[in-house]
């Protein structure tokens, strides 16, 4: 990948913040603002991806993985393409690209979670079929809940000084505050070289107090995220609301450089809190020094989700929409197991979910941690399948998850694999997003994929053009094609 470097010379400004306030009830330490110096695009870090291979259905008819409802990879890829850079292989997390978008699957009124499946020809491989399995959660009504408990954990280290970091954090959390009510509890912890608690268990209705704290933040210093996470968990447990969501919302670029900072060390830190009833979700900001690998591991092991905020439009989408989609978990420890009929299926390949694979034995073990799915979200998995003949009912899918209210294990079994020459727009759009991901990876499984083919399929479906995010997807495919043609 060709690397472009932009050097921003450091500017230090001393900003004054209140050393104490009756309205706040906590002192806000004076902080230095620093416009960070960084070599853009060359220090971002991602979890290594080792692409899934085809599996012989006779040797292993079971495929098991933890669900991932995050869409962070797509907005991260978008930020690169909009800056004229093709993403690296490990950035292209295909399931997160697919799951970024909204789909119009509809559950029955009495269903909290439902499963849909389709089978069609594979756009990039004429010899194979393409199966989709979609898990949809119900839409929660925030006003129906008695109250939730949040800790805003905000990185104010020097690396957050860029205009696409802390200013966007402030805007996003201000929007979130507007959606809270008197039954909610909010604490705010900030950290750079040291951490500080600037709000301790305020009511969600104390709008001015919370916004004052957020808007007073400035960036300076090193990044001791380890002790700040520990403090956030203590506060979350201090103000724990039984029957509500108890969540830490971490906003950072992931650049921990003081204390425990390795991926494994941070993973162990949040795993210690797995039974606390507190979840941790990550909101990533910035480019050039973004540590996605840490964000993914923190959220996965903290029973939370990952978001990547690349611009003001994404702030509006994530924080300005339905609050339940980022705060209300519907299905805990969600995992899925597919059983392929080896009398009908020769081999299969799961597209994406490389870092979410589970052993078949762990599927029925309710003590094994898996993914969380939030309100009104669609999580899709695609399989490329070689059949022995043109059969239907190629496989069945079993979804297991814990109900968020009762904590009881739930199971949904769906018979899948009825072939259609006219699949739904949901299935088709997911397939072209996957094809786009294969092209960005320059995958050995991309077959006859081309950027032109992705755009041609898009143009055949009028419904795609009614969704501005899907129209933007088309524009990104065209940008990627242009960049690829130049290499």
């Amino acid at each position: 990948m060709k690397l472009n470097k932009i050097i921003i010379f450091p500017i230090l400004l001393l900003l004054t913040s209140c050393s104490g306030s009756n309205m706040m009830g906590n002192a806000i330490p004076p902080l230095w603002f620093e416009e960070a110096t960084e070599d853009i695009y060359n220090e971002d870090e991602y979890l290594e991806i080792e692409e899934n291979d085809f599996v012989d259905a006779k040797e292993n008819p079971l495929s098991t993985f933890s669900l991932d409802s995050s869409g962070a990879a797509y907005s991260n890829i978008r930020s690169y393409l909009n800056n004229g850079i093709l993403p690296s292989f490990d950035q292209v997390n295909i399931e997160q690209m697919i799951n970024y978008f909204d789909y119009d699957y509809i559950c029955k009124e009495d269903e909290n979670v439902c499963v849909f499946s389709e089978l069609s020809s594979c756009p990039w491989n004429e010899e194979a079929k393409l199966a989709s399995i979609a898990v949809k959660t119900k839409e929660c009504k925030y006003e129906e809940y008695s109250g939730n408990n949040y800790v805003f954990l905000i990185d104010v280290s020097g690396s957050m000084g860029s205009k696409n970091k802390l200013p966007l954090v402030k805007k996003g959390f201000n929007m979130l505050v507007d959606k809270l009510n008197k039954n909610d509890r909010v604490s705010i912890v900030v950290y750079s070289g040291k951490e500080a608690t600037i709000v301790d268990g305020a009511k969600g209705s104390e709008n001015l107090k919370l916004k004052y704290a957020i808007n007073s933040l400035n960036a300076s210093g090193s990044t001791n995220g380890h002790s700040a996470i520990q403090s956030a968990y203590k506060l979350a447990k201090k103000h724990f609301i039984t029957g509500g969501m108890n969540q830490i919302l971490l906003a950072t670029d992931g650049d921990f450089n003081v204390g425990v900072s390795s991926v494994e060390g941070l993973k162990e830190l949040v795993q210690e809190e797995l039974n606390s009833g507190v979840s941790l979700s990550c909101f990533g900001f910035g480019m050039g020094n973004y540590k996605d690998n840490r964000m993914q591991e923190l959220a996965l092991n903290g029973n939370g989700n990952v978001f990547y905020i690349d611009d003001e439009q994404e702030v509006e989408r994530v924080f300005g929409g339905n609050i339940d989609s980022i705060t209300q978990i519907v299905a805990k420890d969600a995992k899925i197991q597919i059983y392929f009929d080896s009398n009908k299926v020769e081999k299969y390949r799961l597209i994406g979910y490389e870092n979410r694979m589970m052993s078949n034995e762990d599927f029925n073990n309710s003590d094994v941690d898996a993914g969380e799915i939030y309100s009104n979200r669609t999580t899709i998995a695609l399989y490329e399948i070689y059949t022995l003949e043109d059969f239907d009912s190629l496989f069945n899918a079993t979804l297991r998850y814990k109900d968020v209210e009762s904590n009881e294990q739930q199971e949904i079994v769906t018979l899948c694999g009825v072939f259609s020459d006219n699949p739904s727009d949901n299935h088709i759009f997911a397939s072209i997003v996957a094809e786009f991901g294969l092209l960005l990876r320059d995958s050995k499984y991309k077959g006859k994929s081309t950027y032109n083919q992705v755009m041609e399929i898009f143009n055949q479906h009028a419904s795609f053009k009614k969704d501005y995010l899907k129209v933007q997807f088309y524009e990104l495919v065209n940008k990627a094609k242009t960049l690829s043609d130049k290499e």
Side-chain angles (χ1 to χ4, degrees):
M1 177 179 71
K2 184 178 179 181
L3 300 178
N4 291 347
K5 293 185 178 181
I6 301 174
I7 307 298
I8 303 172
F9 292 98
I11 301 172
L12 291 176
L13 296 174
L14 178 60
L15 296 186
T16 310
S17 63
C18 296
S19 59
S21 168
N22 292 332
M23 179 167 63
M24 286 299 302
N26 296 94
I28 301 177
L31 299 171
W32 289 87
F33 177 89
E34 180 178 10
E35 184 72 29
T37 301
E38 54 186 10
D39 293 350
I40 305 297
Y41 311 129
N42 67 341
E43 293 184 359
D44 290 352
E45 295 176 5
Y46 301 87
L47 292 176
E48 183 180 355
I49 291 175
E50 188 173 334
E51 222 167 5
N52 291 326
D53 290 321
F54 278 99
V55 177
D56 187 297
K58 283 189 176 181
E59 293 182 3
N60 190 357
L62 294 175
S63 176
T64 308
F65 58 96
S66 166
L67 290 178
D68 179 3
S69 62
S70 171
Y74 178 79
S75 49
N76 181 251
I77 289 166
R78 179 176 62 200
S79 68
Y80 265 67
L81 293 175
N82 283 336
N83 281 279
I85 305 294
L86 286 169
S88 66
F89 185 94
D90 291 336
Q91 276 179 266
V92 186
N93 189 318
I94 293 178
E95 77 272 12
Q96 290 188 6
M97 293 176 65
I98 295 170
N99 294 335
Y100 176 87
F101 296 93
D102 291 329
Y103 299 85
D104 60 3
Y105 297 103
I106 300 174
C107 291
K108 295 177 183 177
E109 192 170 332
D110 61 345
E111 292 179 322
N112 290 341
V113 182
C114 47
V115 181
F116 303 85
S117 73
E118 293 185 65
L119 185 70
S120 71
S121 57
C122 182
W124 58 85
N125 183 353
E126 295 175 350
E127 298 179 1
K129 292 181 173 61
L130 186 70
S132 64
I133 300 114
V135 177
K136 171 75 174 183
T137 54
K138 71 174 183 179
E139 182 176 3
C140 299
K141 301 296 183 184
Y142 192 75
E143 58 270 17
E144 294 177 359
Y145 290 86
S146 58
N148 292 330
N149 168 35
Y150 303 107
V151 178
F152 299 169
L153 178 55
I154 302 174
D155 181 354
V156 293
S157 63
S159 66
M160 291 292 289
S162 304
K163 65 180 181 180
N164 62 346
K165 295 184 182 180
L166 190 56
L168 294 183
V169 174
K170 291 181 179 182
K171 181 173 182 178
F173 279 104
N174 272 297
M175 295 175 74
L176 183 56
V177 165
D178 285 335
K179 298 176 182 296
L180 303 179
N181 62 50
K182 65 180 181 181
N183 296 319
D184 296 318
R185 288 292 177 268
V186 180
S187 302
I188 302 178
V189 177
V190 298
Y191 67 95
S192 53
K194 296 181 179 180
E195 83 277 0
T197 299
I198 61 173
V199 175
D200 188 339
K203 293 181 180 180
S205 57
E206 295 181 87
N207 191 286
L208 291 177
K209 177 178 182 177
L210 294 169
K211 287 190 172 183
Y212 179 84
I214 293 166
N215 294 330
S216 297
L217 299 178
N218 301 301
S220 166
S222 55
T223 317
N224 189 359
H226 175 265
S227 62
I229 292 171
Q230 291 178 315
S231 295
Y233 273 110
K234 288 178 182 177
L235 276 172
K237 289 184 283 189
K238 175 182 177 182
H239 300 288
F240 194 89
I241 295 178
T242 303
M245 293 290 127
N246 295 275
Q247 295 181 309
I248 298 169
L249 307 180
L250 169 61
T252 179
D253 58 10
D255 183 24
F256 304 121
N257 53 34
V258 174
V260 175
S261 59
S262 68
V263 172
E264 282 302 313
L266 293 169
K267 177 179 173 180
E268 290 174 7
L269 173 64
V270 296
Q271 282 180 332
E272 293 174 1
E273 300 288 349
L274 273 179
N275 296 321
S276 67
V278 177
S279 64
L280 186 152
S281 287
C282 297
F283 297 80
F285 295 81
M287 295 177 64
N289 200 34
Y290 177 59
K291 310 305 182 189
D292 182 76
N293 52 352
R294 292 173 184 147
M295 309 289 275
Q296 297 289 341
E297 288 288 5
L298 281 170
L300 174 61
N301 291 281
N303 288 333
N305 207 346
V306 182
F307 304 85
Y308 178 80
I309 313 297
D310 56 333
D311 56 24
E312 291 197 4
Q313 175 184 282
E314 189 66 5
V315 172
E316 295 278 352
R317 190 188 80 89
V318 172
F319 293 98
N322 187 341
I323 186 175
D324 306 311
S325 64
I326 63 173
T327 62
Q328 297 296 145
I329 298 171
V330 174
K332 298 192 300 182
D333 290 336
K335 47 193 171 183
I336 199 162
Q337 185 171 81
I338 313 298
Y339 172 77
F340 289 94
D341 186 341
S342 60
N343 293 315
K344 301 176 181 179
V345 175
E346 178 189 355
K347 57 185 177 180
Y348 61 87
R349 190 179 88 84
L350 176 60
I351 300 169
Y353 292 93
E354 287 89 354
N355 289 314
R356 292 279 182 151
M357 302 305 294
M358 301 179 68
S359 71
N360 295 330
E361 294 75 19
D362 284 341
F363 182 68
N364 291 313
N365 186 346
S366 59
D367 293 329
V368 174
D369 190 44
E372 273 58 48
I373 310 180
Y374 286 71
S375 165
N376 197 29
R377 297 299 304 157
T378 301
T379 306
I380 295 177
L382 297 178
Y383 280 92
E384 195 173 346
I385 302 172
Y386 281 85
T387 59
L388 295 172
E389 291 183 35
D390 289 330
F391 291 110
D392 286 335
S393 303
L394 302 177
F395 58 91
N396 62 49
T398 303
L399 170 70
R400 285 176 63 88
Y401 68 95
K402 292 175 185 173
D403 180 78
V404 72
E405 295 179 4
S406 68
N407 206 42
E408 293 181 0
Q409 194 75 45
Q410 309 292 317
E411 185 170 296
I412 300 174
V413 180
T414 306
L415 184 64
C416 308
V418 177
F419 183 84
S420 174
D421 288 319
N422 187 28
S424 71
D425 282 3
N426 290 324
H427 178 89
I428 292 170
F429 188 77
S431 74
I432 63 173
V433 176
E435 185 171 356
F436 182 41
L438 295 175
L439 287 164
L440 291 175
R441 285 183 178 182
D442 192 21
S443 169
K444 63 182 179 180
Y445 299 109
K446 67 182 180 181
K448 67 184 188 81
S449 297
T450 66
Y451 292 111
N452 283 336
Q453 176 172 278
V454 173
M455 291 187 286
E456 286 169 7
I457 296 173
F458 181 97
N459 282 324
Q460 293 167 7
H461 298 271
S463 69
F464 300 165
K465 300 174 185 178
K466 297 176 183 178
D467 184 330
Y468 81 95
L469 287 173
K470 291 178 180 176
V471 172
Q472 185 186 73
F473 164 81
Y474 178 91
E475 294 168 352
L476 288 181
V477 175
N478 199 26
K479 286 182 180 181
K481 178 183 180 298
T482 301
L483 291 169
S484 181
D485 288 345
K486 289 179 180 179
E487 290 195 338

